Amino acid sequence: MWRKILSLLFDFYDYLLLVFLLILSFIILFMNEAPQIRSLQGDIADVFAFVHYPGMWINDLSGLLKENEELKQENLQLKLQNIEFKEAYLENQRLKRMLGFMDSTHYEIIPAKVINRGTSPAMNSILLNVGKRQGIKPNMTVISTKGIIGKTIAVGDKTTQCQVFTDVNFRLSVKFQSSRVLGIAQWTPNGSALVREIPGTAKIKPGELVLTSGYSQIYPPNIIVGEVIEIIKNENEPYQSVIIKTSADVNSLEEAFVILSY
Amino acid sequence: MNKILVLIGFSLLAVLIQVTVGPWLSIADIRPDFILILVMLVGIKYGRVPGETYGFVFGMIVDFIGIGSFLGLSALAKTFAGFLAGFLKGRRTRLNSFTFYLFSGLIIFIHYAIFYLINFHSADHSIQFTAVRYIIPDAVYTLVIFIIFDYLFSPDNV
């Protein structure tokens, strides 16, 4: 009897192994959000971080000349802008003092370099070269100079994985700057973000700036998300949808900032 | 022991190629999966058990090294691909090239179908859209690279 069972198991051990490995994969898949798994992911990402460096060096070298030229131009523009901003800042300080407002824009941020953008374009995450040593924790906001990028998900000692807004499973609470309407933005495969189920009465206009709402434990308020490019309105429906062009470009992202506290 | 070391070397090389060359070969966000190609070559060369085991281990490493939103998804898809590729063991010379690549293409297609349908389960894409936009283009592109690699490093000849 036992011999028969053992013989049967031996005959089908490749299938049994397949079932075992598939079940194991599913268990890991269902435990994705477990902190222990995320922590382990961060630690292992640290060990294998070296595989991303050759790609980074190649990208760095090829982009260096172009970047240098662009930086020169940007530098000149920034110098000119800086003078204007200094004036505006001084004026702003004066007005704030007059109104008694507290300065609420002092985010504690840390700069990071993007060392990997992922092997598959559909799985949108980036790997940053900062980690626990720099005080990074899961669920911290990641931004670029142009706007929101995503959030940290798995943190190792020296590297951090971030889920970016171009991931189809990413959701972001946003507000429209002028109309003050709130909504949840979600990335679409068309290369833009979509905000659904906005009341039809809301007067949103193309070009209107979209910011993070602040109604989230992760994202601070008033970080630029993008601008409205199209409003989809159906007369027969009480809701409208809005298409947003995001400000930050994840595909060409080389540097990012993690907000440690706000 | 030597075989294992060679396999580790190839695995490392596949990840390096995926990370460095992969983005350069990207056409409209579609890029070949060199890691899947290696998993398939291992399955074809050594059979179902090594194929699925290698697919699981390598898929898990890929998931862990920071490239995905779903941990375990690459492992799941690549385990299945490695197992199916194992059915082609020893058939490289017995089947004509067309049939061999047809089966290889089918395995690659199944791999991407598992991968993308789970990855996009909470997205608003229809299955047709996911198939046309991601599964088929990725599968075709990877199959083309697989055929090139198969000609260069045919597992039955290595």
Side-chain angles (χ1 to χ4, degrees):
Chain A
M1 174 70 178
W2 282 109
R3 194 172 285 177
K4 262 190 178 176
I5 292 171
L6 281 173
S7 157
L8 208 65
L9 286 176
F10 189 75
D11 286 346
F12 292 100
Y13 81 108
D14 46 353
Y15 290 91
L16 290 172
L17 182 65
L18 174 74
V19 171
F20 172 73
L21 293 176
L22 292 182
I23 290 171
L24 200 60
S25 303
F26 270 115
I27 290 171
I28 295 165
L29 209 51
F30 286 122
M31 285 173 66
N32 252 265
E33 295 304 318
Q36 297 92 334
I37 292 282
R38 286 294 180 202
S39 171
L40 182 67
Q41 190 177 10
D43 292 340
I44 294 178
D46 264 358
V47 175
F48 286 96
F50 71 95
V51 299
H52 303 301
Y53 286 107
M56 204 172 77
W57 294 330
I58 293 169
N59 285 334
D60 281 356
L61 284 174
S62 63
L64 219 56
L65 284 173
K66 194 179 165 208
E67 192 183 346
N68 192 27
E69 201 56 44
E70 284 171 358
L71 284 174
K72 276 181 188 168
Q73 285 181 12
E74 199 180 330
N75 190 30
L76 184 65
Q77 283 174 342
L78 287 173
K79 272 182 183 168
L80 296 169
Q81 271 180 6
N82 199 24
I83 298 165
E84 289 176 29
F85 287 151
K86 271 182 185 165
E87 287 298 314
Y89 177 74
L90 291 171
E91 188 184 3
N92 184 270
Q93 291 296 309
R94 282 198 307 275
L95 291 171
K96 270 186 179 173
R97 271 198 297 274
M98 283 167 72
L99 291 167
F101 279 151
M102 293 287 286
D103 189 356
S104 60
T105 57
H106 284 160
Y107 296 154
E108 192 187 343
I109 59 170
I110 190 155
K113 206 165 173 60
V114 178
I115 56 174
N116 183 38
R117 255 180 226 105
T119 56
S120 170
M123 297 182 75
N124 289 305
S125 63
I126 53 171
L127 194 68
L128 301 178
N129 71 340
V130 289
K132 284 176 194 162
R133 287 182 188 175
Q134 286 79 19
I136 311 284
K137 290 175 190 161
N139 290 327
M140 283 180 165
T141 307
V142 181
I143 57 171
S144 75
T145 51
K146 292 178 180 171
I148 194 93
I149 295 296
K151 65 173 181 180
T152 59
I153 48 173
V155 185
D157 274 348
K158 294 173 284 181
T159 57
T160 298
Q161 257 186 286
C162 310
Q163 185 186 25
V164 294
F165 63 73
T166 52
D167 192 304
V168 288
N169 299 304
F170 188 83
R171 306 284 186 276
L172 182 65
S173 173
V174 295
K175 70 179 172 199
F176 294 85
Q177 193 181 38
S178 308
S179 52
R180 314 306 291 170
V181 180
L182 299 170
I184 304 287
Q186 180 187 2
W187 187 254
T188 69
N190 308 323
S192 53
L194 183 72
V195 183
R196 283 198 177 141
E197 295 185 357
I198 295 170
T201 48
K203 296 198 175 357
I204 297 166
K205 290 175 187 161
E208 187 172 343
L209 211 56
V210 184
L211 309 168
T212 51
S213 68
Y215 295 121
S216 154
Q217 291 183 333
I218 301 171
Y219 307 101
N222 302 325
I223 291 179
I224 294 175
V225 177
E227 64 174 41
V228 175
I229 51 170
E230 195 184 338
I231 295 140
I232 305 164
K233 216 170 183 174
N234 189 336
E235 294 299 323
N236 303 324
E237 286 177 13
Y239 295 107
Q240 56 185 331
S241 298
V242 175
I243 298 175
I244 301 167
K245 184 180 184 297
T246 48
S247 303
D249 181 9
V250 174
N251 292 325
S252 60
L253 190 71
E254 289 177 8
E255 283 95 20
F257 301 91
V258 182
I259 299 178
L260 297 179
S261 65
Y262 63 92
Chain B
M1 186 64 189
N2 276 347
K3 274 183 185 173
I4 293 171
L5 285 176
V6 169
L7 209 55
I8 291 171
F10 270 115
S11 309
L12 208 60
L13 192 68
V15 175
L16 280 172
I17 291 173
Q18 189 68 47
V19 173
T20 53
V21 184
W24 293 84
L25 293 175
S26 175
I27 303 169
D29 273 355
I30 300 300
R31 65 181 76 161
D33 188 342
F34 292 97
I35 294 156
L36 170 63
I37 291 170
L38 188 60
V39 168
M40 286 194 54
L41 290 175
V42 168
I44 293 166
K45 169 84 176 159
Y46 298 108
R48 290 193 288 270
V49 172
E52 62 194 357
T53 311
Y54 183 70
F56 177 79
V57 173
F58 206 3
M60 216 61 237
I61 290 171
V62 168
D63 282 331
F64 268 120
I65 59 176
I67 344 210
S69 41
F70 290 115
L71 197 67
L73 183 54
S74 296
L76 178 75
K78 284 178 173 58
T79 300
F80 212 66
F83 174 77
L84 293 177
F87 283 99
L88 294 173
K89 184 191 174 187
R91 290 187 165 82
R92 176 71 189 84
T93 46
R94 274 191 273 157
L95 293 171
N96 65 49
S97 292
F98 177 78
T99 315
F100 178 77
Y101 292 132
L102 187 73
F103 279 117
S104 303
L106 194 67
I107 294 167
I108 294 170
F109 177 84
I110 291 169
H111 165 270
Y112 279 118
I114 294 170
F115 183 87
Y116 282 125
L117 291 178
I118 294 177
N119 188 50
F120 289 148
H121 75 283
S122 70
D124 293 328
H125 308 176
S126 65
I127 292 175
Q128 292 93 320
F129 177 85
T130 306
V132 173
R133 175 66 182 85
Y134 295 105
I135 299 172
I136 296 171
D138 267 0
V140 170
Y141 200 176
T142 302
L143 178 64
V144 170
I145 303 293
F146 171 79
I147 292 170
I148 296 168
F149 269 76
D150 185 61
Y151 265 115
L152 293 174
F153 314 102
S154 177
D156 287 340
N157 300 327
V158 173

